[in-house]
Amino acid sequence: MVEDGDGDGDGDSGGGAAGRRLVRRFYLFQATRSVGFVSPVFALFVLRDLTFVQYGALSSLYAALVVASEVPTGYVGDRWGRRASMAGGVGCTALSLAGFVVADSFAGYAALYAVWAFAATFNSGSSDAWLYETLDEHLDGSEFTRVRGRAGAVERWTSVATMLVGGVLYGVDPRLPFAASVALSLPGFAVLWTLPDSRGDAAAASGDRPSALEALGVARSSFAEPGLRGAVPYVALLLAAVAAAGSYVQPIGVDLFRELLPASLSAVPEPSLLGAMYAAFTGVAAVAAGSAGAVERRLGVRGALLVVPAVPAVLMLLPPVALAAALPMFVARTAASPVVVPIAYGYVNDRVAAGDARDGDSTGSAGADAARATTLSAVSMVQGAVRTPLAFVAGVVAGAYGPTAAPALLGGVVLVAVAAAAMWNPVAGDGAAS
Protein backbone atom coordinates (compact mmCIF):
# COMPACT_ATOMS: atom_id res chain seq x y z
CA MET A 1 0.00 0.00 0.00
CA VAL A 2 1.30 3.44 -0.93
CA GLU A 3 1.26 5.88 1.96
CA ASP A 4 0.34 9.52 1.47
CA GLY A 5 3.43 11.43 0.52
CA ASP A 6 5.39 8.32 -0.51
CA GLY A 7 6.26 7.41 -4.05
CA ASP A 8 5.64 9.64 -7.04
CA GLY A 9 1.93 9.32 -7.61
CA ASP A 10 -1.16 7.20 -7.46
CA GLY A 11 -0.82 3.63 -8.50
CA ASP A 12 2.84 3.11 -7.75
CA SER A 13 2.06 -0.04 -5.73
CA GLY A 14 2.59 -2.37 -8.69
CA GLY A 15 0.27 -0.67 -11.15
CA GLY A 16 2.95 1.31 -12.95
CA ALA A 17 2.26 4.04 -15.49
CA ALA A 18 -0.96 2.42 -16.75
CA GLY A 19 -2.38 2.33 -13.25
CA ARG A 20 -1.51 5.97 -12.63
CA ARG A 21 -3.20 6.99 -15.89
CA LEU A 22 -6.33 5.06 -14.96
CA VAL A 23 -6.60 6.76 -11.58
CA ARG A 24 -5.97 10.18 -13.11
CA ARG A 25 -8.80 9.65 -15.60
CA PHE A 26 -11.09 8.87 -12.68
CA TYR A 27 -9.91 12.09 -11.02
CA LEU A 28 -10.80 13.95 -14.22
CA PHE A 29 -14.28 12.41 -14.19
CA GLN A 30 -14.69 13.58 -10.60
CA ALA A 31 -13.73 17.11 -11.66
CA THR A 32 -16.62 17.18 -14.16
CA ARG A 33 -19.00 16.29 -11.32
CA SER A 34 -18.30 19.55 -9.51
CA VAL A 35 -21.27 21.88 -9.13
CA GLY A 36 -19.18 24.71 -7.75
CA PHE A 37 -20.71 27.30 -10.05
CA VAL A 38 -24.08 26.93 -8.27
CA SER A 39 -23.09 25.79 -4.76
CA PRO A 40 -22.55 29.21 -3.15
CA VAL A 41 -25.72 30.73 -4.59
CA PHE A 42 -28.13 27.80 -4.81
CA ALA A 43 -30.10 28.60 -1.65
CA LEU A 44 -30.29 32.27 -2.57
CA PHE A 45 -31.58 31.31 -6.02
CA VAL A 46 -34.33 29.03 -4.66
CA LEU A 47 -35.30 31.33 -1.78
CA ARG A 48 -36.09 34.10 -4.28
CA ASP A 49 -39.32 32.19 -4.97
CA LEU A 50 -39.86 30.00 -1.87
CA THR A 51 -40.14 30.24 1.93
CA PHE A 52 -37.87 28.48 4.43
CA VAL A 53 -40.58 25.90 5.09
CA GLN A 54 -40.92 25.17 1.36
CA TYR A 55 -37.14 25.01 1.07
CA GLY A 56 -36.99 22.52 3.93
CA ALA A 57 -39.81 20.54 2.31
CA LEU A 58 -37.79 20.33 -0.92
CA SER A 59 -34.77 19.03 0.99
CA SER A 60 -37.01 16.46 2.62
CA LEU A 61 -38.51 15.53 -0.76
CA TYR A 62 -35.01 15.09 -2.21
CA ALA A 63 -34.04 12.79 0.65
CA ALA A 64 -37.24 10.77 0.28
CA LEU A 65 -36.66 10.33 -3.45
CA VAL A 66 -33.10 9.22 -2.76
CA VAL A 67 -34.54 6.55 -0.46
CA ALA A 68 -36.94 5.40 -3.17
CA SER A 69 -34.40 5.40 -6.02
CA GLU A 70 -31.11 4.33 -4.41
CA VAL A 71 -31.57 0.58 -4.62
CA PRO A 72 -33.19 0.58 -8.12
CA THR A 73 -30.41 2.76 -9.55
CA GLY A 74 -27.78 0.71 -7.71
CA TYR A 75 -29.27 -2.37 -9.34
CA VAL A 76 -28.83 -0.65 -12.72
CA GLY A 77 -25.10 -0.58 -11.95
CA ASP A 78 -25.10 -4.30 -11.11
CA ARG A 79 -27.26 -5.42 -14.05
CA TRP A 80 -26.24 -3.07 -16.87
CA GLY A 81 -22.80 -1.98 -15.70
CA ARG A 82 -21.14 0.59 -13.48
CA ARG A 83 -20.30 2.98 -16.30
CA ALA A 84 -23.86 2.87 -17.68
CA SER A 85 -25.18 3.92 -14.29
CA MET A 86 -22.54 6.66 -13.97
CA ALA A 87 -23.54 7.95 -17.42
CA GLY A 88 -27.13 8.11 -16.21
CA GLY A 89 -25.92 10.27 -13.34
CA VAL A 90 -24.16 12.67 -15.71
CA GLY A 91 -27.27 12.97 -17.87
CA CYS A 92 -29.62 13.61 -14.94
CA THR A 93 -27.22 16.19 -13.49
CA ALA A 94 -27.08 18.15 -16.74
CA LEU A 95 -30.88 17.94 -17.19
CA SER A 96 -31.65 19.18 -13.68
CA LEU A 97 -29.14 22.03 -13.84
CA ALA A 98 -30.59 23.16 -17.16
CA GLY A 99 -34.07 23.07 -15.67
CA PHE A 100 -33.19 25.53 -12.91
CA VAL A 101 -32.65 28.15 -15.60
CA VAL A 102 -36.42 28.30 -16.20
CA ALA A 103 -37.94 27.14 -12.88
CA ASP A 104 -39.91 29.69 -10.83
CA SER A 105 -42.46 27.73 -8.76
CA PHE A 106 -42.52 25.15 -5.97
CA ALA A 107 -43.84 22.51 -8.38
CA GLY A 108 -41.08 23.26 -10.88
CA TYR A 109 -38.38 23.08 -8.24
CA ALA A 110 -39.86 19.84 -6.89
CA ALA A 111 -39.58 18.23 -10.33
CA LEU A 112 -35.96 19.33 -10.65
CA TYR A 113 -35.14 18.06 -7.16
CA ALA A 114 -36.50 14.69 -8.32
CA VAL A 115 -34.15 14.60 -11.32
CA TRP A 116 -31.29 15.75 -9.08
CA ALA A 117 -32.04 12.86 -6.71
CA PHE A 118 -31.77 10.40 -9.61
CA ALA A 119 -28.44 11.97 -10.58
CA ALA A 120 -27.08 11.40 -7.10
CA THR A 121 -28.32 7.83 -6.83
CA PHE A 122 -27.10 6.74 -10.27
CA ASN A 123 -23.60 7.73 -9.16
CA SER A 124 -23.60 6.87 -5.45
CA GLY A 125 -23.22 3.11 -5.50
CA SER A 126 -21.87 2.54 -8.99
CA SER A 127 -18.91 4.93 -8.91
CA ASP A 128 -17.66 3.51 -5.61
CA ALA A 129 -18.24 -0.05 -6.83
CA TRP A 130 -16.34 0.70 -10.05
CA LEU A 131 -13.44 2.27 -8.17
CA TYR A 132 -13.12 -0.50 -5.58
CA GLU A 133 -13.23 -3.28 -8.19
CA THR A 134 -10.86 -1.50 -10.55
CA LEU A 135 -8.31 -0.79 -7.83
CA ASP A 136 -8.59 -4.38 -6.60
CA GLU A 137 -7.98 -5.71 -10.11
CA HIS A 138 -5.34 -3.30 -11.42
CA LEU A 139 -3.68 -1.84 -8.33
CA ASP A 140 -4.63 -2.60 -4.72
CA GLY A 141 -8.10 -2.61 -3.17
CA SER A 142 -6.65 -1.31 0.10
CA GLU A 143 -5.95 1.96 -1.75
CA PHE A 144 -9.68 2.73 -1.91
CA THR A 145 -9.82 5.21 0.97
CA ARG A 146 -6.78 7.12 -0.26
CA VAL A 147 -7.80 7.27 -3.93
CA ARG A 148 -11.46 7.96 -3.09
CA GLY A 149 -10.38 10.75 -0.77
CA ARG A 150 -8.09 12.30 -3.36
CA ALA A 151 -10.81 12.06 -5.99
CA GLY A 152 -13.02 14.05 -3.64
CA ALA A 153 -10.20 16.55 -3.24
CA VAL A 154 -9.96 16.96 -7.03
CA GLU A 155 -13.70 17.61 -7.22
CA ARG A 156 -13.46 20.18 -4.45
CA TRP A 157 -10.44 22.00 -5.88
CA THR A 158 -12.42 22.27 -9.12
CA SER A 159 -15.24 23.70 -7.04
CA VAL A 160 -12.91 26.26 -5.45
CA ALA A 161 -12.20 27.79 -8.84
CA THR A 162 -15.77 27.59 -10.12
CA MET A 163 -17.30 28.97 -6.91
CA LEU A 164 -15.36 32.20 -7.29
CA VAL A 165 -16.73 32.54 -10.81
CA GLY A 166 -20.23 31.39 -9.84
CA GLY A 167 -20.77 34.23 -7.37
CA VAL A 168 -19.77 36.78 -10.00
CA LEU A 169 -21.99 35.16 -12.64
CA TYR A 170 -24.96 35.24 -10.25
CA GLY A 171 -24.51 38.99 -9.89
CA VAL A 172 -24.77 39.36 -13.66
CA ASP A 173 -27.72 36.96 -14.09
CA PRO A 174 -28.85 34.36 -11.49
CA ARG A 175 -29.30 31.78 -14.27
CA LEU A 176 -25.71 31.94 -15.54
CA PRO A 177 -24.14 29.71 -12.82
CA PHE A 178 -26.52 26.91 -13.80
CA ALA A 179 -25.69 27.23 -17.49
CA ALA A 180 -21.97 27.13 -16.66
CA SER A 181 -22.47 23.98 -14.55
CA VAL A 182 -24.21 22.24 -17.46
CA ALA A 183 -21.21 23.04 -19.66
CA LEU A 184 -18.84 21.55 -17.05
CA SER A 185 -20.85 18.36 -16.51
CA LEU A 186 -21.30 17.30 -20.15
CA PRO A 187 -17.61 16.36 -20.77
CA GLY A 188 -18.15 13.66 -18.13
CA PHE A 189 -19.63 11.50 -20.90
CA ALA A 190 -16.37 11.68 -22.86
CA VAL A 191 -14.24 10.90 -19.81
CA LEU A 192 -16.40 7.89 -18.94
CA TRP A 193 -15.76 6.52 -22.44
CA THR A 194 -12.02 6.36 -21.63
CA LEU A 195 -12.45 4.43 -18.36
CA PRO A 196 -12.04 0.64 -18.50
CA ASP A 197 -14.72 -1.83 -17.53
CA SER A 198 -14.57 -3.09 -13.97
CA ARG A 199 -15.31 -6.72 -13.11
CA GLY A 200 -18.92 -5.69 -12.52
CA ASP A 201 -19.13 -4.12 -15.98
CA ALA A 202 -17.62 -7.23 -17.57
CA ALA A 203 -20.07 -9.49 -15.72
CA ALA A 204 -23.02 -7.35 -16.82
CA ALA A 205 -21.83 -7.40 -20.45
CA SER A 206 -21.43 -11.20 -20.40
CA GLY A 207 -24.90 -11.74 -18.98
CA ASP A 208 -23.50 -13.00 -15.65
CA ARG A 209 -25.56 -10.57 -13.62
CA PRO A 210 -27.87 -10.95 -10.64
CA SER A 211 -31.63 -10.72 -10.73
CA ALA A 212 -33.25 -7.99 -8.67
CA LEU A 213 -34.12 -10.48 -5.92
CA GLU A 214 -30.58 -11.90 -5.90
CA ALA A 215 -29.02 -8.43 -5.65
CA LEU A 216 -31.37 -7.48 -2.81
CA GLY A 217 -30.56 -10.76 -1.10
CA VAL A 218 -26.83 -10.00 -1.16
CA ALA A 219 -27.46 -6.49 0.17
CA ARG A 220 -29.69 -7.86 2.94
CA SER A 221 -27.09 -10.47 3.91
CA SER A 222 -24.37 -7.81 3.95
CA PHE A 223 -26.42 -5.55 6.20
CA ALA A 224 -26.92 -8.46 8.61
CA GLU A 225 -23.15 -8.72 9.10
CA PRO A 226 -22.17 -7.82 12.70
CA GLY A 227 -19.81 -5.12 11.44
CA LEU A 228 -22.48 -3.42 9.30
CA ARG A 229 -25.85 -3.68 10.98
CA GLY A 230 -24.87 -1.04 13.54
CA ALA A 231 -22.32 0.93 11.53
CA VAL A 232 -24.59 1.69 8.55
CA PRO A 233 -27.38 3.50 10.46
CA TYR A 234 -24.79 5.32 12.59
CA VAL A 235 -22.85 6.63 9.58
CA ALA A 236 -26.11 7.43 7.79
CA LEU A 237 -27.24 9.61 10.69
CA LEU A 238 -23.93 11.48 10.80
CA LEU A 239 -23.87 12.21 7.08
CA ALA A 240 -27.59 13.05 6.90
CA ALA A 241 -27.39 15.59 9.73
CA VAL A 242 -24.25 17.27 8.39
CA ALA A 243 -25.72 17.41 4.86
CA ALA A 244 -29.02 18.87 6.10
CA ALA A 245 -27.12 21.59 7.97
CA GLY A 246 -25.46 22.63 4.72
CA SER A 247 -28.77 23.97 3.45
CA TYR A 248 -28.46 26.93 5.84
CA VAL A 249 -24.92 28.07 5.09
CA GLN A 250 -26.03 30.71 2.59
CA PRO A 251 -28.77 32.45 4.62
CA ILE A 252 -26.51 32.40 7.71
CA GLY A 253 -23.64 33.71 5.59
CA VAL A 254 -25.74 36.64 4.38
CA ASP A 255 -26.64 37.53 7.99
CA LEU A 256 -22.98 37.21 8.92
CA PHE A 257 -21.89 39.61 6.18
CA ARG A 258 -24.50 42.17 7.15
CA GLU A 259 -23.52 42.11 10.83
CA LEU A 260 -19.75 41.71 10.75
CA LEU A 261 -18.51 42.87 7.35
CA PRO A 262 -16.15 45.86 7.41
CA ALA A 263 -17.59 49.02 5.86
CA SER A 264 -14.92 48.90 3.15
CA LEU A 265 -16.44 45.67 1.80
CA SER A 266 -20.10 46.54 2.22
CA ALA A 267 -20.43 47.50 -1.45
CA VAL A 268 -19.32 44.04 -2.67
CA PRO A 269 -22.37 42.05 -3.89
CA GLU A 270 -23.40 39.31 -1.47
CA PRO A 271 -23.30 36.54 -4.12
CA SER A 272 -19.65 37.37 -4.84
CA LEU A 273 -18.87 37.27 -1.13
CA LEU A 274 -20.62 33.93 -0.83
CA GLY A 275 -18.61 32.61 -3.77
CA ALA A 276 -15.35 33.64 -2.10
CA MET A 277 -16.47 32.18 1.26
CA TYR A 278 -17.51 28.87 -0.29
CA ALA A 279 -14.26 28.69 -2.25
CA ALA A 280 -12.23 29.17 0.93
CA PHE A 281 -14.22 26.55 2.83
CA THR A 282 -14.10 24.11 -0.07
CA GLY A 283 -10.32 24.52 -0.26
CA VAL A 284 -10.20 23.36 3.34
CA ALA A 285 -12.51 20.45 2.44
CA ALA A 286 -10.24 19.50 -0.47
CA VAL A 287 -7.26 19.30 1.86
CA ALA A 288 -9.36 17.26 4.30
CA ALA A 289 -10.48 14.88 1.54
CA GLY A 290 -6.90 14.29 0.48
CA SER A 291 -5.99 13.38 4.06
CA ALA A 292 -8.71 10.73 4.53
CA GLY A 293 -6.22 7.90 4.20
CA ALA A 294 -3.87 9.46 6.75
CA VAL A 295 -6.75 10.06 9.18
CA GLU A 296 -7.81 6.43 8.87
CA ARG A 297 -4.28 5.23 9.60
CA ARG A 298 -3.87 7.58 12.55
CA LEU A 299 -7.24 7.09 14.27
CA GLY A 300 -8.51 3.83 12.83
CA VAL A 301 -11.98 3.52 11.34
CA ARG A 302 -13.79 3.60 14.67
CA GLY A 303 -11.79 6.54 16.00
CA ALA A 304 -12.28 8.53 12.81
CA LEU A 305 -16.04 7.93 12.81
CA LEU A 306 -16.26 9.18 16.40
CA VAL A 307 -13.85 12.12 16.42
CA VAL A 308 -14.30 13.70 12.98
CA PRO A 309 -18.10 14.26 13.16
CA ALA A 310 -17.97 15.47 16.76
CA VAL A 311 -15.95 18.59 15.89
CA PRO A 312 -18.49 20.24 13.55
CA ALA A 313 -21.34 19.04 15.78
CA VAL A 314 -20.02 21.05 18.74
CA LEU A 315 -19.48 24.11 16.57
CA MET A 316 -23.00 23.84 15.10
CA LEU A 317 -24.40 24.59 18.57
CA LEU A 318 -22.71 28.01 18.80
CA PRO A 319 -24.09 30.36 16.04
CA PRO A 320 -27.44 31.00 17.78
CA VAL A 321 -25.42 32.41 20.70
CA ALA A 322 -22.54 34.01 18.79
CA LEU A 323 -23.06 34.56 15.05
CA ALA A 324 -19.30 34.89 14.47
CA ALA A 325 -18.96 31.21 15.43
CA ALA A 326 -20.64 30.40 12.12
CA LEU A 327 -17.31 30.81 10.32
CA PRO A 328 -15.44 27.97 12.07
CA MET A 329 -18.67 25.95 11.99
CA PHE A 330 -18.84 26.32 8.21
CA VAL A 331 -15.23 25.17 7.85
CA ALA A 332 -15.60 22.14 10.12
CA ARG A 333 -18.93 21.09 8.61
CA THR A 334 -17.56 21.33 5.09
CA ALA A 335 -14.43 19.34 5.96
CA ALA A 336 -16.10 16.50 7.87
CA SER A 337 -17.97 14.66 5.10
CA PRO A 338 -14.99 14.37 2.68
CA VAL A 339 -13.09 12.56 5.43
CA VAL A 340 -15.92 10.40 6.74
CA VAL A 341 -17.33 9.24 3.37
CA PRO A 342 -14.25 7.44 1.92
CA ILE A 343 -13.43 5.87 5.28
CA ALA A 344 -17.01 4.66 5.78
CA TYR A 345 -17.45 3.37 2.23
CA GLY A 346 -14.05 1.67 2.28
CA TYR A 347 -15.14 -0.08 5.46
CA VAL A 348 -18.43 -1.17 3.86
CA ASN A 349 -16.64 -2.47 0.75
CA ASP A 350 -14.25 -4.49 2.88
CA ARG A 351 -17.07 -5.98 4.96
CA VAL A 352 -19.03 -6.94 1.82
CA ALA A 353 -15.99 -8.79 0.44
CA ALA A 354 -15.20 -10.38 3.80
CA GLY A 355 -18.78 -11.57 4.30
CA ASP A 356 -18.75 -13.14 0.84
CA ALA A 357 -15.48 -14.93 1.63
CA ARG A 358 -16.87 -16.27 4.93
CA ASP A 359 -19.90 -17.61 3.07
CA GLY A 360 -17.54 -19.67 0.95
CA ASP A 361 -18.58 -18.25 -2.44
CA SER A 362 -16.90 -20.41 -5.07
CA THR A 363 -16.56 -17.52 -7.47
CA GLY A 364 -14.25 -15.61 -5.16
CA SER A 365 -14.42 -11.85 -5.52
CA ALA A 366 -17.05 -12.08 -8.25
CA GLY A 367 -19.67 -13.06 -5.68
CA ALA A 368 -19.23 -9.84 -3.73
CA ASP A 369 -18.91 -7.81 -6.92
CA ALA A 370 -22.23 -9.10 -8.29
CA ALA A 371 -24.36 -6.89 -6.07
CA ARG A 372 -21.80 -4.42 -4.76
CA ALA A 373 -23.46 -1.35 -6.32
CA THR A 374 -26.85 -2.40 -4.92
CA THR A 375 -25.33 -2.81 -1.46
CA LEU A 376 -23.53 0.55 -1.53
CA SER A 377 -26.68 2.23 -2.84
CA ALA A 378 -28.61 0.69 0.03
CA VAL A 379 -26.20 2.42 2.41
CA SER A 380 -27.03 5.73 0.75
CA MET A 381 -30.71 4.82 0.91
CA VAL A 382 -30.49 4.55 4.69
CA GLN A 383 -28.84 7.98 4.77
CA GLY A 384 -31.71 9.40 2.71
CA ALA A 385 -34.27 7.77 4.98
CA VAL A 386 -32.69 9.48 7.97
CA ARG A 387 -32.28 12.81 6.20
CA THR A 388 -35.95 13.02 5.15
CA PRO A 389 -37.39 13.83 8.60
CA LEU A 390 -34.29 15.72 9.71
CA ALA A 391 -34.47 18.10 6.73
CA PHE A 392 -38.16 18.80 7.23
CA VAL A 393 -37.87 19.40 10.98
CA ALA A 394 -34.82 21.62 10.40
CA GLY A 395 -36.82 23.69 7.91
CA VAL A 396 -39.65 24.16 10.40
CA VAL A 397 -37.18 25.16 13.14
CA ALA A 398 -35.43 27.63 10.80
CA GLY A 399 -38.77 29.16 9.85
CA ALA A 400 -39.71 29.61 13.51
CA TYR A 401 -36.39 30.63 15.09
CA GLY A 402 -34.11 31.69 12.24
CA PRO A 403 -31.54 29.85 10.09
CA THR A 404 -28.93 29.40 12.86
CA ALA A 405 -31.36 27.27 14.88
CA ALA A 406 -31.45 24.48 12.28
CA PRO A 407 -27.71 23.59 12.40
CA ALA A 408 -27.83 23.81 16.22
CA LEU A 409 -30.59 21.21 16.31
CA LEU A 410 -28.73 18.95 13.87
CA GLY A 411 -25.46 19.33 15.78
CA GLY A 412 -27.20 18.15 18.92
CA VAL A 413 -28.46 15.09 17.06
CA VAL A 414 -24.92 14.24 15.92
CA LEU A 415 -23.48 14.62 19.43
CA VAL A 416 -26.09 12.28 20.88
CA ALA A 417 -25.26 9.72 18.16
CA VAL A 418 -21.50 10.01 18.75
CA ALA A 419 -21.95 9.60 22.52
CA ALA A 420 -24.12 6.52 21.99
CA ALA A 421 -21.63 5.04 19.52
CA ALA A 422 -18.73 5.61 21.91
CA MET A 423 -20.50 3.32 24.41
CA TRP A 424 -22.15 0.92 21.98
CA ASN A 425 -19.32 0.53 19.42
CA PRO A 426 -21.28 -0.21 16.21
CA VAL A 427 -18.07 -0.49 14.13
CA ALA A 428 -16.65 -4.01 14.44
CA GLY A 429 -13.02 -4.10 15.50
CA ASP A 430 -11.07 -1.29 13.91
CA GLY A 431 -12.67 -1.52 10.54
CA ALA A 432 -10.62 -4.44 9.34
CA ALA A 433 -12.58 -7.14 7.68
CA SER A 434 -12.56 -10.28 9.67
Side-chain angles (χ1 to χ4, degrees), residues 9-430:
D10 292 301
D12 287 345
S13 54
R20 291 194 296 274
R21 287 195 296 270
L22 185 155
V23 170
R24 286 168 184 162
R25 289 199 298 273
F26 180 71
Y27 290 165
L28 181 59
F29 174 68
Q30 288 297 107
T32 68
R33 293 182 61 187
S34 166
V35 289
F37 285 114
V38 304
S39 294
V41 296
F42 183 81
L44 295 182
F45 184 89
V46 175
L47 288 169
R48 298 177 313 156
D49 302 309
L50 305 180
T51 66
F52 274 121
V53 174
Q54 289 175 314
Y55 182 52
L58 284 176
S59 296
S60 184
L61 171 66
Y62 172 87
L65 290 171
V66 166
V67 172
S69 61
E70 273 288 6
V71 170
T73 54
Y75 179 63
V76 169
D78 285 325
R79 187 163 182 82
W80 285 283
R82 316 302 191 214
R83 291 195 302 161
S85 182
M86 291 156 73
V90 174
C92 287
T93 297
L95 180 61
S96 61
L97 288 167
F100 278 103
V101 173
V102 297
D104 61 0
S105 67
F106 180 82
Y109 286 124
L112 295 173
Y113 266 65
V115 179
W116 190 270
F118 278 109
T121 57
F122 270 121
N123 275 312
S124 62
S126 293
S127 61
D128 284 330
W130 179 90
L131 180 61
Y132 189 88
E133 292 164 5
T134 302
L135 290 175
D136 192 46
E137 183 175 3
H138 296 283
L139 297 169
D140 183 350
S142 66
E143 293 282 271
F144 177 86
T145 296
R146 184 175 68 87
V147 174
R148 176 66 160 78
R150 288 187 174 180
V154 169
E155 181 179 347
R156 286 170 175 83
W157 282 121
T158 304
S159 295
V160 168
T162 53
M163 283 171 177
L164 292 170
V165 178
V168 176
L169 291 176
Y170 187 90
V172 177
D173 187 324
R175 298 169 296 180
L176 286 178
F178 293 89
S181 283
V182 173
L184 177 61
S185 67
L186 290 177
F189 287 114
V191 179
L192 272 175
W193 185 260
T194 72
L195 296 178
D197 287 340
S198 68
R199 289 192 301 258
D201 289 306
S206 68
D208 183 17
R209 50 202 183 189
S211 69
L213 290 177
E214 289 170 340
L216 287 172
V218 173
R220 185 167 53 249
S221 297
S222 297
F223 274 34
E225 287 288 316
L228 287 183
R229 62 187 174 214
V232 168
Y234 170 67
V235 171
L237 177 60
L238 299 180
L239 295 177
V242 171
S247 299
Y248 301 93
V249 171
Q250 288 158 42
I252 294 173
V254 170
D255 290 343
L256 190 66
F257 296 148
R258 290 171 180 171
E259 180 172 320
L260 302 177
L261 199 66
S264 59
L265 295 177
S266 60
V268 179
E270 287 171 352
S272 296
L273 291 172
L274 284 170
M277 182 181 75
Y278 264 65
F281 295 159
T282 304
V284 173
V287 173
S291 69
V295 171
E296 182 183 51
R297 290 193 302 274
R298 178 66 61 88
L299 300 178
V301 173
R302 180 174 183 269
L305 295 182
L306 290 174
V307 174
V308 175
V311 176
V314 170
L315 293 174
M316 286 158 67
L317 302 177
L318 302 180
V321 179
L323 187 58
L327 281 173
M329 183 269 284
F330 290 160
V331 173
R333 192 211 69 82
T334 305
S337 291
V339 176
V340 170
V341 167
I343 293 173
Y345 276 70
Y347 173 81
V348 172
N349 267 303
D350 288 341
R351 301 304 299 187
V352 169
D356 188 69
R358 284 195 298 275
D359 291 341
D361 192 292
S362 61
T363 61
S365 62
D369 292 339
R372 186 181 301 278
T374 302
T375 303
L376 292 174
S377 289
V379 176
S380 296
M381 181 193 71
V382 176
Q383 179 186 340
V386 176
R387 184 176 175 181
T388 300
L390 285 179
F392 183 76
V393 171
V396 172
V397 170
Y401 301 103
T404 60
L409 169 70
L410 296 166
V413 170
V414 171
L415 287 178
V416 170
V418 169
M423 295 183 289
W424 175 37
N425 189 20
V427 179
D430 195 32

